[in-house]
PDB file of all heavy atoms in Angstrom:
ATOM      1  N   LEU A 374      -7.058   7.473  29.244  1.00  0.00           N
ATOM      2  CA  LEU A 374      -6.912   7.544  30.701  1.00  0.00           C
ATOM      3  C   LEU A 374      -5.611   8.236  31.091  1.00  0.00           C
ATOM      4  O   LEU A 374      -5.578   9.011  32.053  1.00  0.00           O
ATOM      5  CB  LEU A 374      -6.962   6.140  31.313  1.00  0.00           C
ATOM      6  CG  LEU A 374      -8.347   5.519  31.443  1.00  0.00           C
ATOM      7  CD1 LEU A 374      -8.232   4.073  31.908  1.00  0.00           C
ATOM      8  CD2 LEU A 374      -9.217   6.315  32.389  1.00  0.00           C
ATOM      9  N   GLN A 375      -4.549   7.978  30.341  1.00  0.00           N
ATOM     10  CA  GLN A 375      -3.286   8.651  30.628  1.00  0.00           C
ATOM     11  C   GLN A 375      -3.410  10.155  30.382  1.00  0.00           C
ATOM     12  O   GLN A 375      -2.899  10.956  31.169  1.00  0.00           O
ATOM     13  CB  GLN A 375      -2.163   8.056  29.769  1.00  0.00           C
ATOM     14  CG  GLN A 375      -1.737   6.677  30.215  1.00  0.00           C
ATOM     15  CD  GLN A 375      -0.734   6.034  29.268  1.00  0.00           C
ATOM     16  OE1 GLN A 375      -0.546   6.468  28.146  1.00  0.00           O
ATOM     17  NE2 GLN A 375      -0.089   4.966  29.746  1.00  0.00           N
ATOM     18  N   GLN A 376      -4.130  10.530  29.305  1.00  0.00           N
ATOM     19  CA  GLN A 376      -4.358  11.954  29.049  1.00  0.00           C
ATOM     20  C   GLN A 376      -5.154  12.579  30.189  1.00  0.00           C
ATOM     21  O   GLN A 376      -4.813  13.674  30.679  1.00  0.00           O
ATOM     22  CB  GLN A 376      -5.137  12.153  27.744  1.00  0.00           C
ATOM     23  CG  GLN A 376      -4.352  11.895  26.487  1.00  0.00           C
ATOM     24  CD  GLN A 376      -5.232  12.010  25.248  1.00  0.00           C
ATOM     25  OE1 GLN A 376      -6.456  12.011  25.329  1.00  0.00           O
ATOM     26  NE2 GLN A 376      -4.587  12.101  24.094  1.00  0.00           N
ATOM     27  N   LEU A 377      -6.216  11.882  30.608  1.00  0.00           N
ATOM     28  CA  LEU A 377      -7.040  12.408  31.699  1.00  0.00           C
ATOM     29  C   LEU A 377      -6.244  12.493  32.993  1.00  0.00           C
ATOM     30  O   LEU A 377      -6.384  13.465  33.759  1.00  0.00           O
ATOM     31  CB  LEU A 377      -8.282  11.536  31.894  1.00  0.00           C
ATOM     32  CG  LEU A 377      -9.329  11.612  30.774  1.00  0.00           C
ATOM     33  CD1 LEU A 377     -10.407  10.557  31.003  1.00  0.00           C
ATOM     34  CD2 LEU A 377      -9.936  12.992  30.695  1.00  0.00           C
ATOM     35  N   ASP A 378      -5.409  11.493  33.261  1.00  0.00           N
ATOM     36  CA  ASP A 378      -4.570  11.503  34.450  1.00  0.00           C
ATOM     37  C   ASP A 378      -3.620  12.699  34.417  1.00  0.00           C
ATOM     38  O   ASP A 378      -3.476  13.415  35.414  1.00  0.00           O
ATOM     39  CB  ASP A 378      -3.784  10.190  34.553  1.00  0.00           C
ATOM     40  CG  ASP A 378      -2.958  10.121  35.825  1.00  0.00           C
ATOM     41  OD1 ASP A 378      -3.554  10.259  36.922  1.00  0.00           O
ATOM     42  OD2 ASP A 378      -1.729   9.938  35.722  1.00  0.00           O
ATOM     43  N   HIS A 379      -2.998  12.921  33.269  1.00  0.00           N
ATOM     44  CA  HIS A 379      -2.087  14.070  33.127  1.00  0.00           C
ATOM     45  C   HIS A 379      -2.853  15.372  33.330  1.00  0.00           C
ATOM     46  O   HIS A 379      -2.377  16.283  34.027  1.00  0.00           O
ATOM     47  CB  HIS A 379      -1.434  14.041  31.735  1.00  0.00           C
ATOM     48  CG  HIS A 379      -0.541  15.201  31.474  1.00  0.00           C
ATOM     49  ND1 HIS A 379       0.683  15.351  32.102  1.00  0.00           N
ATOM     50  CD2 HIS A 379      -0.683  16.284  30.664  1.00  0.00           C
ATOM     51  CE1 HIS A 379       1.237  16.478  31.688  1.00  0.00           C
ATOM     52  NE2 HIS A 379       0.439  17.057  30.811  1.00  0.00           N
ATOM     53  N   HIS A 380      -4.038  15.459  32.743  1.00  0.00           N
ATOM     54  CA  HIS A 380      -4.850  16.666  32.886  1.00  0.00           C
ATOM     55  C   HIS A 380      -5.248  16.869  34.353  1.00  0.00           C
ATOM     56  O   HIS A 380      -5.191  17.997  34.866  1.00  0.00           O
ATOM     57  CB  HIS A 380      -6.099  16.563  32.006  1.00  0.00           C
ATOM     58  CG  HIS A 380      -7.006  17.727  32.115  1.00  0.00           C
ATOM     59  ND1 HIS A 380      -6.698  18.960  31.585  1.00  0.00           N
ATOM     60  CD2 HIS A 380      -8.224  17.870  32.715  1.00  0.00           C
ATOM     61  CE1 HIS A 380      -7.680  19.812  31.857  1.00  0.00           C
ATOM     62  NE2 HIS A 380      -8.616  19.168  32.536  1.00  0.00           N
ATOM     63  N   CYS A 381      -5.643  15.778  35.032  1.00  0.00           N
ATOM     64  CA  CYS A 381      -6.022  15.886  36.451  1.00  0.00           C
ATOM     65  C   CYS A 381      -4.837  16.333  37.298  1.00  0.00           C
ATOM     66  O   CYS A 381      -4.989  17.180  38.192  1.00  0.00           O
ATOM     67  CB  CYS A 381      -6.550  14.548  36.967  1.00  0.00           C
ATOM     68  SG  CYS A 381      -8.212  14.178  36.391  1.00  0.00           S
ATOM     69  N   ARG A 382      -3.661  15.767  37.034  1.00  0.00           N
ATOM     70  CA  ARG A 382      -2.474  16.174  37.794  1.00  0.00           C
ATOM     71  C   ARG A 382      -2.150  17.646  37.547  1.00  0.00           C
ATOM     72  O   ARG A 382      -1.833  18.388  38.475  1.00  0.00           O
ATOM     73  CB  ARG A 382      -1.279  15.299  37.412  1.00  0.00           C
ATOM     74  CG  ARG A 382      -1.378  13.879  37.928  1.00  0.00           C
ATOM     75  CD  ARG A 382      -0.193  13.051  37.418  1.00  0.00           C
ATOM     76  NE  ARG A 382      -0.388  11.643  37.653  1.00  0.00           N
ATOM     77  CZ  ARG A 382       0.052  10.991  38.707  1.00  0.00           C
ATOM     78  NH1 ARG A 382       0.717  11.632  39.639  1.00  0.00           N
ATOM     79  NH2 ARG A 382      -0.168   9.700  38.859  1.00  0.00           N
ATOM     80  N   SER A 383      -2.270  18.039  36.281  1.00  0.00           N
ATOM     81  CA  SER A 383      -1.996  19.440  35.940  1.00  0.00           C
ATOM     82  C   SER A 383      -3.017  20.352  36.628  1.00  0.00           C
ATOM     83  O   SER A 383      -2.655  21.396  37.186  1.00  0.00           O
ATOM     84  CB  SER A 383      -2.063  19.604  34.424  1.00  0.00           C
ATOM     85  OG  SER A 383      -1.916  20.942  34.056  1.00  0.00           O
ATOM     86  N   SER A 384      -4.291  19.957  36.590  1.00  0.00           N
ATOM     87  CA  SER A 384      -5.343  20.760  37.243  1.00  0.00           C
ATOM     88  C   SER A 384      -5.109  20.810  38.744  1.00  0.00           C
ATOM     89  O   SER A 384      -5.270  21.867  39.373  1.00  0.00           O
ATOM     90  CB  SER A 384      -6.722  20.162  36.956  1.00  0.00           C
ATOM     91  OG  SER A 384      -7.025  20.243  35.582  1.00  0.00           O
ATOM     92  N   ALA A 385      -4.742  19.672  39.337  1.00  0.00           N
ATOM     93  CA  ALA A 385      -4.480  19.647  40.778  1.00  0.00           C
ATOM     94  C   ALA A 385      -3.309  20.563  41.115  1.00  0.00           C
ATOM     95  O   ALA A 385      -3.349  21.288  42.124  1.00  0.00           O
ATOM     96  CB  ALA A 385      -4.196  18.214  41.235  1.00  0.00           C
ATOM     97  N   GLN A 386      -2.271  20.556  40.285  1.00  0.00           N
ATOM     98  CA  GLN A 386      -1.120  21.435  40.500  1.00  0.00           C
ATOM     99  C   GLN A 386      -1.556  22.897  40.424  1.00  0.00           C
ATOM    100  O   GLN A 386      -1.155  23.715  41.257  1.00  0.00           O
ATOM    101  CB  GLN A 386      -0.022  21.140  39.451  1.00  0.00           C
ATOM    102  CG  GLN A 386       1.219  21.992  39.600  1.00  0.00           C
ATOM    103  CD  GLN A 386       1.967  21.723  40.888  1.00  0.00           C
ATOM    104  OE1 GLN A 386       2.000  20.601  41.374  1.00  0.00           O
ATOM    105  NE2 GLN A 386       2.574  22.750  41.455  1.00  0.00           N
ATOM    106  N   GLN A 387      -2.402  23.215  39.440  1.00  0.00           N
ATOM    107  CA  GLN A 387      -2.885  24.593  39.304  1.00  0.00           C
ATOM    108  C   GLN A 387      -3.724  24.996  40.517  1.00  0.00           C
ATOM    109  O   GLN A 387      -3.606  26.120  41.020  1.00  0.00           O
ATOM    110  CB  GLN A 387      -3.709  24.748  38.021  1.00  0.00           C
ATOM    111  CG  GLN A 387      -2.873  24.718  36.757  1.00  0.00           C
ATOM    112  CD  GLN A 387      -3.729  24.774  35.500  1.00  0.00           C
ATOM    113  OE1 GLN A 387      -4.952  24.725  35.563  1.00  0.00           O
ATOM    114  NE2 GLN A 387      -3.066  24.886  34.359  1.00  0.00           N
ATOM    115  N   VAL A 388      -4.571  24.064  40.996  1.00  0.00           N
ATOM    116  CA  VAL A 388      -5.399  24.360  42.170  1.00  0.00           C
ATOM    117  C   VAL A 388      -4.499  24.621  43.375  1.00  0.00           C
ATOM    118  O   VAL A 388      -4.717  25.574  44.142  1.00  0.00           O
ATOM    119  CB  VAL A 388      -6.390  23.201  42.439  1.00  0.00           C
ATOM    120  CG1 VAL A 388      -7.004  23.313  43.819  1.00  0.00           C
ATOM    121  CG2 VAL A 388      -7.468  23.166  41.372  1.00  0.00           C
ATOM    122  N   CYS A 389      -3.463  23.791  43.548  1.00  0.00           N
ATOM    123  CA  CYS A 389      -2.531  23.994  44.667  1.00  0.00           C
ATOM    124  C   CYS A 389      -1.843  25.355  44.552  1.00  0.00           C
ATOM    125  O   CYS A 389      -1.699  26.078  45.555  1.00  0.00           O
ATOM    126  CB  CYS A 389      -1.490  22.880  44.708  1.00  0.00           C
ATOM    127  SG  CYS A 389      -2.168  21.313  45.283  1.00  0.00           S
ATOM    128  N   GLU A 390      -1.410  25.702  43.346  1.00  0.00           N
ATOM    129  CA  GLU A 390      -0.746  26.997  43.142  1.00  0.00           C
ATOM    130  C   GLU A 390      -1.706  28.137  43.435  1.00  0.00           C
ATOM    131  O   GLU A 390      -1.340  29.131  44.070  1.00  0.00           O
ATOM    132  CB  GLU A 390      -0.209  27.090  41.710  1.00  0.00           C
ATOM    133  CG  GLU A 390       0.982  26.186  41.449  1.00  0.00           C
ATOM    134  CD  GLU A 390       1.372  26.125  39.980  1.00  0.00           C
ATOM    135  OE1 GLU A 390       0.742  26.816  39.136  1.00  0.00           O
ATOM    136  OE2 GLU A 390       2.310  25.372  39.658  1.00  0.00           O
ATOM    137  N   LEU A 391      -2.966  27.998  42.977  1.00  0.00           N
ATOM    138  CA  LEU A 391      -3.955  29.047  43.230  1.00  0.00           C
ATOM    139  C   LEU A 391      -4.270  29.162  44.720  1.00  0.00           C
ATOM    140  O   LEU A 391      -4.431  30.272  45.243  1.00  0.00           O
ATOM    141  CB  LEU A 391      -5.241  28.770  42.439  1.00  0.00           C
ATOM    142  CG  LEU A 391      -5.138  28.992  40.931  1.00  0.00           C
ATOM    143  CD1 LEU A 391      -6.420  28.513  40.241  1.00  0.00           C
ATOM    144  CD2 LEU A 391      -4.890  30.448  40.600  1.00  0.00           C
ATOM    145  N   LEU A 392      -4.343  28.030  45.414  1.00  0.00           N
ATOM    146  CA  LEU A 392      -4.595  28.074  46.851  1.00  0.00           C
ATOM    147  C   LEU A 392      -3.427  28.725  47.581  1.00  0.00           C
ATOM    148  O   LEU A 392      -3.639  29.515  48.536  1.00  0.00           O
ATOM    149  CB  LEU A 392      -4.849  26.656  47.395  1.00  0.00           C
ATOM    150  CG  LEU A 392      -6.202  26.038  47.037  1.00  0.00           C
ATOM    151  CD1 LEU A 392      -6.242  24.585  47.481  1.00  0.00           C
ATOM    152  CD2 LEU A 392      -7.336  26.832  47.659  1.00  0.00           C
ATOM    153  N   ALA A 393      -2.210  28.408  47.136  1.00  0.00           N
ATOM    154  CA  ALA A 393      -1.043  29.029  47.753  1.00  0.00           C
ATOM    155  C   ALA A 393      -1.067  30.542  47.502  1.00  0.00           C
ATOM    156  O   ALA A 393      -0.790  31.336  48.411  1.00  0.00           O
ATOM    157  CB  ALA A 393       0.245  28.414  47.200  1.00  0.00           C
ATOM    158  N   LYS A 394      -1.396  30.923  46.284  1.00  0.00           N
ATOM    159  CA  LYS A 394      -1.473  32.351  45.944  1.00  0.00           C
ATOM    160  C   LYS A 394      -2.569  33.028  46.757  1.00  0.00           C
ATOM    161  O   LYS A 394      -2.379  34.144  47.264  1.00  0.00           O
ATOM    162  CB  LYS A 394      -1.738  32.501  44.436  1.00  0.00           C
ATOM    163  CG  LYS A 394      -1.707  33.907  43.937  1.00  0.00           C
ATOM    164  CD  LYS A 394      -0.303  34.448  43.986  1.00  0.00           C
ATOM    165  CE  LYS A 394      -0.243  35.819  43.329  1.00  0.00           C
ATOM    166  NZ  LYS A 394       1.066  36.418  43.424  1.00  0.00           N
ATOM    167  N   GLN A 395      -3.727  32.356  46.886  1.00  0.00           N
ATOM    168  CA  GLN A 395      -4.826  32.914  47.676  1.00  0.00           C
ATOM    169  C   GLN A 395      -4.407  33.077  49.131  1.00  0.00           C
ATOM    170  O   GLN A 395      -4.686  34.112  49.751  1.00  0.00           O
ATOM    171  CB  GLN A 395      -6.062  32.005  47.585  1.00  0.00           C
ATOM    172  CG  GLN A 395      -7.252  32.539  48.358  1.00  0.00           C
ATOM    173  CD  GLN A 395      -8.420  31.561  48.375  1.00  0.00           C
ATOM    174  OE1 GLN A 395      -8.222  30.365  48.188  1.00  0.00           O
ATOM    175  NE2 GLN A 395      -9.612  32.076  48.592  1.00  0.00           N
ATOM    176  N   SER A 396      -3.711  32.085  49.665  1.00  0.00           N
ATOM    177  CA  SER A 396      -3.244  32.164  51.045  1.00  0.00           C
ATOM    178  C   SER A 396      -2.283  33.339  51.201  1.00  0.00           C
ATOM    179  O   SER A 396      -2.372  34.101  52.175  1.00  0.00           O
ATOM    180  CB  SER A 396      -2.559  30.853  51.418  1.00  0.00           C
ATOM    181  OG  SER A 396      -2.040  30.923  52.717  1.00  0.00           O
TER     182      SER A 396
END
Side-chain angles (χ1 to χ4, degrees):
L374 282 173
Q375 287 174 345
Q376 287 176 345
L377 290 172
D378 183 56
H379 177 71
H380 178 72
C381 285
R382 289 176 192 266
S383 175
S384 295
Q386 181 65 34
Q387 288 176 354
V388 166
C389 287
E390 289 171 2
L391 288 173
L392 287 173
K394 186 69 173 176
Q395 181 186 23
S396 177

